[in-house]
């Protein structure tokens, strides 16, 4: 099971946008200050002198905490406030806020009029610009808004060209950004959703851009590679559901790039080429065919999520040997996550012996696995043998395709170096109380000398079953080699982490 909550968490953490949803995609409903509150405060004071004496910059900052409608209304408070709203540095236009629940053509036309009015009278530079809007029927107006941005010195842009009818998402890609959009040379952060990007041949680059976030953006691999190659100080890149992006080539060292996430695009793992000597975090979700070209010597953590189950084709050369061998390019990381169908795919392809035999730096390992299948269990044991410095392991179980694991399998395995010297924390989720699961946990309890904490999480709907009770009885009575080990057994809903 693919945990999409993990994906969202990765984006917000690795791209250093801690308030991504509230700040850019959640509208303005959470803002604490309202015009009514300001009016009441002025009435309590008896006059406007105290607040009117504040410098222009502070008054403009106060206005940024208002919705755009209320910001405009401040012009009636006093003559001192008449032009304050025209200098606000943050412009947020959200369809939910300006159109309400009924977001038909008439309501959107009214929103367009508001935006046109605000931009016409705006007199200051813009630091942040947010637009959440269905552009159908108003493309020429949106083009003019883009022209305004190119002259405003804008530093952060977040635009979602949503397409919905009565709450039903219709997909994107109708609106194409005009070529003048690429003249926003002061950009530091760019977030785009549901549009078409065609990078002009004379594009000179976003020389200040540090964060690039593209979701449901129609851009092909060559165009994307051109765009990124001309963002010399880029630090964070996220590509989500860009289905026309069939490849990604970042040739030449990109010295400041630290975070890359590619999720559910058209490309497979082998269609990626990254030369980034400072890259610290890498996440890929999609088809895992092929072997990427990675020059990432400082990479700390890597996540590969295979979200499509693919069985090996019946040809002479097994293509999944490349996938297994490609992990050698990640052998130096400290944290490795292999989720979704990754282990299942390699196990079904019988290429476990092509995996690297040494991961000398890995301290944390997070793997999705079926512990009832001998082929997948063999891969888990391979990692226990290969990760000599492993301190923490998390297993997310998926036992949909159950087999009867040989009862003596774990009895015949020898404790590994990491189990004797380093492994301290074990977490196993989605337990069903099956024999293969019990024998694996028993193996760890009997041989992990430094074990401090082991957390076992069963499905909630198994709480009262005989199988779960039997499993708990067996595991709580296993003689642990580590006298300091604490065991925590939990019951959680199936979708608790989604």
């Amino acid at each position: 099971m693919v945990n999409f909550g993990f994906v969202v968490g990765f984006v917000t953490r690795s791209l250093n946008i801690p308030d991504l949803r509230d700040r850019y995609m959640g509208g303005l409903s959470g803002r604490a200050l309202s015009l009514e509150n300001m009016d009441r405060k002025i009435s309590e004071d008896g006059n406007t002198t105290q607040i009117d004496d504040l410098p222009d910059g502070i008054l403009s900052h106060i206005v940024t905490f208002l919705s755009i409608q209320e910001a405009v209304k401040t012009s009636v408070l006093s003559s001192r406030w008449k032009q304050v709203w025209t200098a606000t540095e943050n412009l947020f236009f959200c369809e939910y806020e300006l159109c309400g629940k009924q977001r038909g053509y008439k309501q959107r036309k009214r929103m367009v009029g508001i935006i046109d009015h605000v931009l016409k009278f705006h007199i200051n530079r813009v630091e942040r610009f947010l637009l959440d809007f269905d552009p159908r029927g108003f493309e020429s107006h949106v083009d003019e808004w883009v022209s305004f941005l190119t002259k405003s010195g804008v530093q952060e842009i977040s635009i979602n060209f949503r397409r919905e009818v009565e709450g039903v998402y219709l997909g994107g890609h109708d609106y194409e950004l005009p070529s003048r959009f690429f003249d926003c040379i002061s950009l530091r952060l760019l977030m785009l959703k549901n549009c078409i990007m065609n990078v002009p041949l004379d594009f000179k680059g976003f020389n200040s851009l540090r964060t690039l976030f593209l979701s449901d953006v129609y851009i092909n691999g060559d165009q994307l590679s051109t765009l990124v190659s001309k963002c010399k100080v880029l630090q964070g890149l996220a590509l989500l559901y860009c289905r026309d992006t069939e490849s990604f080539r970042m040739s030449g060292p990109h010295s400041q790039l630290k975070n890359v996430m590619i999720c559910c695009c058209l490309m497979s793992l082998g269609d990626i080429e990254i030369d980034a000597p400072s890259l610290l975090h890498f996440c890929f979700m999609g088809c895992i065919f092929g072997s990427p070209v990675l020059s990432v010597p400082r990479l700390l953590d890597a996540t590969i999520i295979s979200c499509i189950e693919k069985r090996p084709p019946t040809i002479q050369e097994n293509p999944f040997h490349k996938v297994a061998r490609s992990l050698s390019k990640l052998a130096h990381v400290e944290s490795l996550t292999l989720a979704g169908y990754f282990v299942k795919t390699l196990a079904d392809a019988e290429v476990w012996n092509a995996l690297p035999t040494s991961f000398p730096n890995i301290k944390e390992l997070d793997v999705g696995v079926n512990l009832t299948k001998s082929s997948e269990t063999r891969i888990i044991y391979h990692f226990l043998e290969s990760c000599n410095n492993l301190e923490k392991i998390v297993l997310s179980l998926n036992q949909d395709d159950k087999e009867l694991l040989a009862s003596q399998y774990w009895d015949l395995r020898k404790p590994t170096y990491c189990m004797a010297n380093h492994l301290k924390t074990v977490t196993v989720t989605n337990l069903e109380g099956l024999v293969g699961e019990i024998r694996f946990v028993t193996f760890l309890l009997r041989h992990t000398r430094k074990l401090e904490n082991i957390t076992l999480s069963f499905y909630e709907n198994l709480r009262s079953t005989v199988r779960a009770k039997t499993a708990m009885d067996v595991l709580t009575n296993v003689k642990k080699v580590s006298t300091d080990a604490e065991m925590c057994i939990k019951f959680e809903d199936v979708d608790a982490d989604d």
Side-chain angles (χ1 to χ4, degrees):
M1 182 182 298
V2 175
N3 187 340
F4 287 95
F6 166 82
V7 176
V8 174
F10 180 92
V11 173
T12 55
R13 289 192 307 272
S14 66
L15 298 188
N16 195 26
I17 311 174
D19 55 350
L20 176 69
R21 180 173 299 180
D22 293 336
R23 185 176 177 186
Y24 291 103
M25 296 299 181
L28 306 169
S29 58
R31 295 184 175 276
L33 189 59
S34 69
L35 186 60
E36 288 76 11
N37 290 337
M38 291 176 61
D39 199 19
R40 183 165 55 250
K41 176 63 176 173
I42 291 172
S43 298
E44 291 170 355
D45 292 342
N47 57 68
T48 62
T49 304
Q50 183 177 3
I51 196 168
D52 282 357
D53 288 340
L54 294 172
D56 290 348
I58 294 180
L59 294 184
S60 296
H61 182 69
I62 291 174
V63 171
T64 63
F65 290 92
L66 301 173
S67 71
I68 195 63
Q69 287 173 303
E70 291 186 325
V72 174
K73 289 179 182 178
T74 60
S75 61
V76 303
L77 292 176
S78 70
S79 59
R80 179 74 171 82
W81 284 87
K82 190 172 183 180
Q83 300 296 327
V84 169
W85 68 271
T86 64
T88 180
E89 295 182 350
N90 299 329
L91 296 177
F92 296 159
F93 303 103
C94 179
E95 195 170 304
Y96 284 108
E97 293 291 328
L98 296 177
C99 297
K101 294 182 179 180
Q102 299 296 325
R103 298 192 301 278
Y105 180 86
K106 182 178 179 180
Q107 291 78 15
R108 291 189 295 117
K109 183 177 181 180
R110 178 175 173 269
M111 177 177 175
V112 168
I114 292 173
I115 298 176
D116 286 345
H117 178 79
V118 170
L119 300 188
K120 178 180 179 180
F121 291 98
H122 195 273
I123 60 175
N124 198 6
R125 73 180 184 89
V126 176
E127 183 176 339
R128 299 184 182 93
F129 179 86
L130 178 146
L131 177 64
D132 193 319
F133 178 66
D134 181 349
R136 288 174 298 164
F138 302 100
E139 290 84 355
S140 61
H141 289 266
V142 179
D143 289 348
E144 290 302 315
W145 303 342
V146 169
S147 294
F148 166 83
L149 291 176
T150 62
K151 305 169 187 175
S152 68
V154 63
Q155 295 186 15
E156 300 183 10
I157 290 180
S158 174
I159 302 179
N160 179 4
F161 292 112
R162 64 171 60 253
R163 293 184 62 210
E164 293 181 2
V165 174
E166 297 181 351
V168 178
Y169 176 64
L170 301 179
H173 310 327
D174 271 0
Y175 179 75
E176 180 176 345
L177 290 170
S179 59
R180 72 194 77 164
F181 178 85
F182 296 88
D183 293 331
C184 295
I185 59 176
S186 55
L187 275 177
R188 292 174 177 268
L189 180 147
L190 176 59
M191 303 177 69
L192 295 174
K193 186 178 173 99
N194 294 323
C195 64
I196 301 171
M197 291 186 78
N198 280 312
V199 181
L201 294 175
D202 60 350
F203 175 55
K204 295 180 175 59
F206 294 136
N207 294 325
S208 299
L209 191 67
R210 287 172 170 76
T211 301
L212 177 61
F213 182 105
L214 304 180
S215 176
D216 288 284
V217 171
Y218 190 93
I219 181 171
N220 66 41
D222 291 338
Q223 295 264 313
L224 176 64
S225 298
T226 298
L227 174 65
V228 173
S229 69
K230 294 187 178 181
C231 300
K232 298 299 185 182
V233 298
L234 192 66
Q235 296 179 5
L237 171 66
L239 308 172
L240 278 66
Y241 304 100
C242 298
R243 305 190 190 280
D244 190 48
T245 309
E246 76 288 350
S247 64
F248 177 55
R249 300 284 185 266
M250 184 183 290
S251 57
H254 225 288
S255 60
Q256 298 195 38
L257 190 65
K258 292 179 172 60
N259 309 283
V260 171
M261 177 181 182
I262 300 173
C263 173
C264 300
C265 298
L266 185 64
M267 71 188 81
S268 65
L269 186 63
D271 296 320
I272 297 173
E273 179 180 334
I274 298 177
D275 186 353
S278 298
L279 193 70
L280 301 177
H281 313 285
F282 174 72
C283 177
F284 175 84
M285 176 187 288
C287 180
I288 61 172
F289 283 117
S291 178
V293 178
L294 300 176
S295 178
V296 287
R298 294 183 58 192
L299 194 67
L300 292 179
D301 61 76
T303 297
I304 300 177
I305 305 172
S306 174
C307 55
I308 302 176
E309 182 180 359
K310 293 282 187 180
R311 296 185 180 276
T314 54
I315 57 177
Q316 184 175 2
E317 182 182 358
N318 191 328
F320 292 103
H321 275 288
K322 288 185 177 180
V323 178
R325 289 194 296 267
S326 70
L327 290 183
S328 63
K329 300 167 186 176
L330 305 175
H332 60 285
V333 301
E334 295 183 4
S335 176
L336 179 63
T337 297
L338 303 174
Y341 295 104
F342 190 93
V343 170
K344 176 179 176 56
T345 299
L346 296 191
D348 289 349
E350 299 181 350
V351 294
W352 66 271
N353 56 350
L355 291 167
T357 58
S358 176
F359 294 89
N361 298 327
I362 287 185
K363 296 180 180 179
E364 296 187 13
L365 180 66
D366 190 333
V367 182
V369 65
N370 184 342
L371 286 177
T372 71
K373 296 186 67 174
S374 58
S375 56
E376 296 189 40
T377 303
R378 184 183 295 128
I379 290 178
I380 294 303
Y381 185 69
H382 177 88
F383 277 111
L384 288 174
E385 285 188 308
S386 305
C387 303
N388 283 346
N389 293 298
L390 188 65
E391 298 178 359
K392 177 181 179 180
I393 185 170
V394 178
L395 297 186
S396 302
L397 306 186
N398 181 358
Q399 320 290 45
D400 291 342
D401 186 14
K402 297 181 179 65
E403 290 184 2
L404 184 61
L405 183 69
S407 59
Q408 73 276 18
Y409 179 85
W410 287 110
D411 294 336
L412 298 176
R413 305 280 81 76
K414 297 179 180 180
T416 65
Y417 182 87
C418 75
M419 294 171 63
N421 296 280
H422 295 289
L423 188 59
K424 298 177 181 178
T425 304
V426 174
T427 300
V428 186
T429 65
N430 304 334
L431 282 158
E432 296 184 29
L434 302 173
V435 173
E437 302 169 350
I438 296 173
R439 291 189 177 276
F440 170 74
V441 176
T442 299
F443 172 72
L444 292 180
L445 292 172
R446 287 177 175 172
H447 301 293
T448 308
R449 296 185 176 278
K450 303 290 184 178
L451 187 64
E452 296 177 357
N453 297 286
I454 181 167
T455 301
L456 307 175
S457 177
F458 288 81
Y459 286 122
E460 175 64 34
N461 59 3
L462 298 176
R463 183 185 290 270
S464 59
T465 63
V466 173
R467 188 170 66 193
K469 291 178 179 178
T470 301
M472 287 188 293
D473 288 341
V474 171
L475 295 176
T476 53
N477 287 294
V478 172
K479 186 176 181 180
K480 301 185 288 290
V481 68
S482 172
T483 57
D484 297 327
E486 295 184 1
M487 180 185 296
C488 175
I489 297 179
K490 303 188 298 184
F491 287 86
E492 295 184 336
D493 292 334
V494 174
D495 297 326
D497 294 329
D498 287 352

